[in-house]
Amino acid sequence: MRFPWQQKQIVPTETSHNLTEELTRQGYRMTPQRMMIVDAIEHTENHISAEDIFRQVVAKYPNVNVSTVYRTLELLEKLGLVTKTEMGVGHIVYHPLEKGHHHHLICRECGNVVDLDESVLAPLKESLQQNYQFTADLRHLGIMGLCAECKQKSQNKTANG
Amino acid sequence: MRFPWQQKQIVPTETSHNLTEELTRQGYRMTPQRMMIVDAIEHTENHISAEDIFRQVVAKYPNVNVSTVYRTLELLEKLGLVTKTEMGVGHIVYHPLEKGHHHHLICRECGNVVDLDESVLAPLKESLQQNYQFTADLRHLGIMGLCAECKQKSQNKTANG
DNA sequence: GTAAATATTGCGACTAATTCCAACTGCAAC
DNA sequence: GTTGCAGTTGGAATTAGTCGCAATATTTAC
């Protein structure tokens, strides 16, 4: 019998190479649980919640515990391998740093998320440094607001009603 | 016998006039619970957490329920009377809008909070509107980072160790 | 006054996330 | 092999916050 983590699909793939290698290189163990968690993170299009990771891992190995997922995410974040982003109050998602870190514009009406290039926040970071001697950590930012479409709609509503 | 909410100190004061008046003006009831909650919000120097509000209210009236605090805060926020700010992931605080809305620079080392004038974020808001047609809601923003002092310290540590 | 309608509250169940601790794993030293 | 130990895990308990619902309070209509 093969245990789930011994199956082909959860052996580290090309894309998971970075996270796995970095973990082992720094003296951490690549346990089956961590393999499955890393795999889930790296096979997501963009970002993924802790809950979703847990769901995926549990499907392969039902005994895994949520706290293991959170601990692994905490470790990966500490090592600078994944980014934690707050997408609106209370909704936290993760994504691997190798895919580049950017920000998110989240529409509070339709929930749509638009990625924002890091450079847009550079002037703000500069200004905070200059005027407040504060080194802002702007790697994980979710900015709430209204997209053009929803703003249009809400203006129509006000005008008509 | 007088119930706690009938005591002088929780009758709406000068500063709580706005919130109380606005609530009643819009057809909401000023219940003893709401009086105590509003009172806590308005007698704080700057901002206050839901938990702290609950602690204060419970001290006067032990039967009050947490959910009442959260519901009242939700209502006040909906009416635009208080602002909800995320001070670092997972730590949410509230403050009355009448005291002016500003932003916060939160040092992740020492935890110090520096208030930031709204105008500093105006260029960013402008740029998001221009380049992304996105109307950013930047009223409640807590920016994490390192203050000058802690940055100095961390650089020394790296240099010596 | 009472009755009906509505607003608000308390309670208990639930979720996401964290923390503590005892048990387990892998590895090096003997 | 087995001992010791740091790293890691599972499970149970805890925390902040949310939700549905029945009970209560207030307002309005009579």
Side-chain angles (χ1 to χ4, degrees), chain B residues 29 32 50-51 66-67 70-71 74 84 90 92:
Chain B
R29 295 184 198 148
E51 215 193 327
V66 225
S67 54
Y70 284 105
R71 274 184 296 229
E74 194 186 1
K84 190 176 180 179
I92 295 167

Side-chain angles (χ1 to χ4, degrees), chain A residues 24-40:
Chain A
T24 47
R25 203 183 61 76
Q26 299 206 26
Y28 295 97
R29 294 186 200 148
M30 268 317 285
T31 63
Q33 290 91 333
R34 285 185 179 166
M35 275 191 208
M36 291 186 275
I37 292 167
V38 160
D39 197 65

Side-chain angles (χ1 to χ4, degrees), chain A residues 24-78:
Chain A
T24 47
R25 203 183 61 76
Q26 299 206 26
Y28 295 97
R29 294 186 200 148
M30 268 317 285
T31 63
Q33 290 91 333
R34 285 185 179 166
M35 275 191 208
M36 291 186 275
I37 292 167
V38 160
D39 197 65
I41 296 172
E42 301 209 302
H43 280 82
T44 187
E45 193 60 38
N46 197 343
H47 35 64
I48 188 168
S49 69
E51 216 193 327
D52 282 341
I53 295 172
F54 179 62
R55 251 196 297 272
Q56 283 190 36
V57 174
V58 137
K60 293 177 193 159
Y61 171 42
N63 267 359
V64 84
N65 197 276
V66 225
S67 55
T68 300
V69 174
Y70 284 105
R71 272 184 300 231
T72 303
L73 286 170
E74 194 186 0
L75 175 64
L76 291 173
E77 202 199 354
K78 199 186 76 184

Side-chain angles (χ1 to χ4, degrees), chain B residues 134-152:
Chain B
F134 186 86
T135 310
D137 182 10
L138 296 175
R139 284 178 311 167
H140 5 102
L141 209 60
I143 299 175
M144 301 299 290
L146 271 183
C147 68
E149 214 171 309
C150 290
K151 196 187 179 186
Q152 189 68 49

